PDB file of all heavy atoms in Angstrom:
ATOM      1  N   PRO A  37     -14.928  10.107   2.153  1.00  0.00           N
ATOM      2  CA  PRO A  37     -15.326  10.766   0.902  1.00  0.00           C
ATOM      3  C   PRO A  37     -15.837  12.157   1.199  1.00  0.00           C
ATOM      4  O   PRO A  37     -15.976  12.960   0.292  1.00  0.00           O
ATOM      5  CB  PRO A  37     -16.553   9.852   0.428  1.00  0.00           C
ATOM      6  CG  PRO A  37     -16.863   8.927   1.555  1.00  0.00           C
ATOM      7  CD  PRO A  37     -15.686   8.898   2.489  1.00  0.00           C
ATOM      8  N   GLN A  38     -16.132  12.514   2.397  1.00  0.00           N
ATOM      9  CA  GLN A  38     -16.683  13.825   2.814  1.00  0.00           C
ATOM     10  C   GLN A  38     -15.594  14.832   3.025  1.00  0.00           C
ATOM     11  O   GLN A  38     -15.540  15.882   2.366  1.00  0.00           O
ATOM     12  CB  GLN A  38     -17.523  13.719   4.110  1.00  0.00           C
ATOM     13  CG  GLN A  38     -18.172  15.015   4.461  1.00  0.00           C
ATOM     14  CD  GLN A  38     -19.512  15.139   3.775  1.00  0.00           C
ATOM     15  OE1 GLN A  38     -20.077  14.230   3.220  1.00  0.00           O
ATOM     16  NE2 GLN A  38     -20.023  16.333   3.752  1.00  0.00           N
ATOM     17  N   CYS A  39     -14.631  14.458   3.863  1.00  0.00           N
ATOM     18  CA  CYS A  39     -13.525  15.422   4.222  1.00  0.00           C
ATOM     19  C   CYS A  39     -12.144  15.113   3.700  1.00  0.00           C
ATOM     20  O   CYS A  39     -11.242  15.898   3.763  1.00  0.00           O
ATOM     21  CB  CYS A  39     -13.529  15.740   5.722  1.00  0.00           C
ATOM     22  SG  CYS A  39     -12.851  14.331   6.688  1.00  0.00           S
ATOM     23  N   GLY A  40     -11.971  13.763   3.246  1.00  0.00           N
ATOM     24  CA  GLY A  40     -10.707  13.416   2.816  1.00  0.00           C
ATOM     25  C   GLY A  40      -9.710  12.896   3.807  1.00  0.00           C
ATOM     26  O   GLY A  40      -8.602  12.535   3.483  1.00  0.00           O
ATOM     27  N   ASP A  41     -10.104  12.934   5.085  1.00  0.00           N
ATOM     28  CA  ASP A  41      -9.192  12.497   6.186  1.00  0.00           C
ATOM     29  C   ASP A  41      -8.917  10.946   6.034  1.00  0.00           C
ATOM     30  O   ASP A  41      -9.856  10.161   5.597  1.00  0.00           O
ATOM     31  CB  ASP A  41      -9.761  12.787   7.514  1.00  0.00           C
ATOM     32  CG  ASP A  41      -8.760  12.759   8.625  1.00  0.00           C
ATOM     33  OD1 ASP A  41      -7.562  12.842   8.390  1.00  0.00           O
ATOM     34  OD2 ASP A  41      -9.159  12.621   9.789  1.00  0.00           O
ATOM     35  N   MET A  42      -7.730  10.480   6.439  1.00  0.00           N
ATOM     36  CA  MET A  42      -7.426   9.088   6.368  1.00  0.00           C
ATOM     37  C   MET A  42      -8.158   8.315   7.448  1.00  0.00           C
ATOM     38  O   MET A  42      -8.275   8.723   8.571  1.00  0.00           O
ATOM     39  CB  MET A  42      -5.894   8.921   6.525  1.00  0.00           C
ATOM     40  CG  MET A  42      -5.497   7.455   6.323  1.00  0.00           C
ATOM     41  SD  MET A  42      -3.699   7.293   6.387  1.00  0.00           S
ATOM     42  CE  MET A  42      -3.213   8.100   7.893  1.00  0.00           C
ATOM     43  N   LEU A  43      -8.632   7.118   7.017  1.00  0.00           N
ATOM     44  CA  LEU A  43      -9.406   6.266   7.928  1.00  0.00           C
ATOM     45  C   LEU A  43      -8.528   5.044   8.226  1.00  0.00           C
ATOM     46  O   LEU A  43      -7.876   4.476   7.393  1.00  0.00           O
ATOM     47  CB  LEU A  43     -10.760   5.788   7.385  1.00  0.00           C
ATOM     48  CG  LEU A  43     -11.637   6.926   6.923  1.00  0.00           C
ATOM     49  CD1 LEU A  43     -12.779   6.334   6.212  1.00  0.00           C
ATOM     50  CD2 LEU A  43     -12.131   7.643   8.196  1.00  0.00           C
ATOM     51  N   LEU A  44      -8.426   4.575   9.519  1.00  0.00           N
ATOM     52  CA  LEU A  44      -7.601   3.562   9.869  1.00  0.00           C
ATOM     53  C   LEU A  44      -8.262   2.188   9.889  1.00  0.00           C
ATOM     54  O   LEU A  44      -7.682   1.223   9.401  1.00  0.00           O
ATOM     55  CB  LEU A  44      -7.035   3.784  11.283  1.00  0.00           C
ATOM     56  CG  LEU A  44      -5.974   2.797  11.798  1.00  0.00           C
ATOM     57  CD1 LEU A  44      -4.806   2.712  10.872  1.00  0.00           C
ATOM     58  CD2 LEU A  44      -5.501   3.198  13.180  1.00  0.00           C
ATOM     59  N   ALA A  45      -9.385   2.042  10.404  1.00  0.00           N
ATOM     60  CA  ALA A  45     -10.114   0.738  10.489  1.00  0.00           C
ATOM     61  C   ALA A  45     -11.680   1.006  10.457  1.00  0.00           C
ATOM     62  O   ALA A  45     -12.155   1.932  11.023  1.00  0.00           O
ATOM     63  CB  ALA A  45      -9.746   0.057  11.800  1.00  0.00           C
ATOM     64  N   PRO A  46     -12.395  -0.012   9.855  1.00  0.00           N
ATOM     65  CA  PRO A  46     -13.834   0.183   9.890  1.00  0.00           C
ATOM     66  C   PRO A  46     -14.409  -0.038  11.230  1.00  0.00           C
ATOM     67  O   PRO A  46     -13.871  -0.743  12.084  1.00  0.00           O
ATOM     68  CB  PRO A  46     -14.251  -0.946   8.927  1.00  0.00           C
ATOM     69  CG  PRO A  46     -13.231  -1.966   8.960  1.00  0.00           C
ATOM     70  CD  PRO A  46     -11.919  -1.203   9.225  1.00  0.00           C
ATOM     71  N   LEU A  47     -15.537   0.579  11.472  1.00  0.00           N
ATOM     72  CA  LEU A  47     -16.262   0.350  12.731  1.00  0.00           C
ATOM     73  C   LEU A  47     -16.785  -1.052  12.880  1.00  0.00           C
ATOM     74  O   LEU A  47     -16.738  -1.636  13.912  1.00  0.00           O
ATOM     75  CB  LEU A  47     -17.517   1.390  12.776  1.00  0.00           C
ATOM     76  CG  LEU A  47     -18.336   1.246  14.049  1.00  0.00           C
ATOM     77  CD1 LEU A  47     -17.609   1.739  15.299  1.00  0.00           C
ATOM     78  CD2 LEU A  47     -19.585   2.126  13.780  1.00  0.00           C
ATOM     79  N   LEU A  48     -17.241  -1.631  11.763  1.00  0.00           N
ATOM     80  CA  LEU A  48     -17.730  -2.968  11.645  1.00  0.00           C
ATOM     81  C   LEU A  48     -17.422  -3.627  10.350  1.00  0.00           C
ATOM     82  O   LEU A  48     -17.536  -2.974   9.315  1.00  0.00           O
ATOM     83  CB  LEU A  48     -19.278  -2.841  11.869  1.00  0.00           C
ATOM     84  CG  LEU A  48     -20.117  -4.107  11.779  1.00  0.00           C
ATOM     85  CD1 LEU A  48     -19.828  -5.022  13.015  1.00  0.00           C
ATOM     86  CD2 LEU A  48     -21.599  -3.885  11.623  1.00  0.00           C
ATOM     87  N   ALA A  49     -17.063  -4.909  10.341  1.00  0.00           N
ATOM     88  CA  ALA A  49     -16.859  -5.664   9.161  1.00  0.00           C
ATOM     89  C   ALA A  49     -17.998  -6.748   9.083  1.00  0.00           C
ATOM     90  O   ALA A  49     -18.021  -7.557   9.912  1.00  0.00           O
ATOM     91  CB  ALA A  49     -15.499  -6.321   9.073  1.00  0.00           C
ATOM     92  N   GLU A  50     -18.905  -6.567   8.145  1.00  0.00           N
ATOM     93  CA  GLU A  50     -20.058  -7.581   8.082  1.00  0.00           C
ATOM     94  C   GLU A  50     -19.752  -8.594   6.947  1.00  0.00           C
ATOM     95  O   GLU A  50     -19.543  -8.272   5.823  1.00  0.00           O
ATOM     96  CB  GLU A  50     -21.303  -6.759   7.674  1.00  0.00           C
ATOM     97  CG  GLU A  50     -22.512  -7.470   7.469  1.00  0.00           C
ATOM     98  CD  GLU A  50     -23.674  -6.581   7.046  1.00  0.00           C
ATOM     99  OE1 GLU A  50     -23.486  -5.414   6.853  1.00  0.00           O
ATOM    100  OE2 GLU A  50     -24.739  -7.231   6.795  1.00  0.00           O
ATOM    101  N   HIS A  51     -19.694  -9.773   7.330  1.00  0.00           N
ATOM    102  CA  HIS A  51     -19.453 -10.883   6.399  1.00  0.00           C
ATOM    103  C   HIS A  51     -20.758 -11.359   5.805  1.00  0.00           C
ATOM    104  O   HIS A  51     -21.454 -12.170   6.399  1.00  0.00           O
ATOM    105  CB  HIS A  51     -18.638 -12.068   7.039  1.00  0.00           C
ATOM    106  CG  HIS A  51     -17.257 -11.614   7.549  1.00  0.00           C
ATOM    107  ND1 HIS A  51     -16.168 -11.864   6.791  1.00  0.00           N
ATOM    108  CD2 HIS A  51     -16.836 -10.879   8.604  1.00  0.00           C
ATOM    109  CE1 HIS A  51     -15.075 -11.377   7.349  1.00  0.00           C
ATOM    110  NE2 HIS A  51     -15.481 -10.813   8.492  1.00  0.00           N
ATOM    111  N   VAL A  52     -21.065 -10.841   4.607  1.00  0.00           N
ATOM    112  CA  VAL A  52     -22.316 -11.125   3.944  1.00  0.00           C
ATOM    113  C   VAL A  52     -22.397 -12.565   3.512  1.00  0.00           C
ATOM    114  O   VAL A  52     -23.434 -13.295   3.545  1.00  0.00           O
ATOM    115  CB  VAL A  52     -22.516 -10.214   2.783  1.00  0.00           C
ATOM    116  CG1 VAL A  52     -23.861 -10.426   2.023  1.00  0.00           C
ATOM    117  CG2 VAL A  52     -22.534  -8.699   3.295  1.00  0.00           C
ATOM    118  N   SER A  53     -21.261 -13.067   2.928  1.00  0.00           N
ATOM    119  CA  SER A  53     -21.090 -14.449   2.496  1.00  0.00           C
ATOM    120  C   SER A  53     -19.646 -14.860   2.665  1.00  0.00           C
ATOM    121  O   SER A  53     -18.824 -14.003   3.223  1.00  0.00           O
ATOM    122  CB  SER A  53     -21.532 -14.637   1.000  1.00  0.00           C
ATOM    123  OG  SER A  53     -20.591 -13.978   0.147  1.00  0.00           O
ATOM    124  N   ALA A  54     -19.238 -15.963   2.208  1.00  0.00           N
ATOM    125  CA  ALA A  54     -17.891 -16.476   2.324  1.00  0.00           C
ATOM    126  C   ALA A  54     -16.866 -15.556   1.589  1.00  0.00           C
ATOM    127  O   ALA A  54     -15.705 -15.374   2.075  1.00  0.00           O
ATOM    128  CB  ALA A  54     -17.703 -17.901   1.819  1.00  0.00           C
TER     129      ALA A  54
END
Side-chain angles (χ1 to χ4, degrees):
Q38 185 83 19
C39 71
D41 198 19
M42 184 175 53
L43 303 170
L44 185 59
L47 177 68
L48 175 72
E50 177 184 3
H51 295 263
V52 179
S53 70

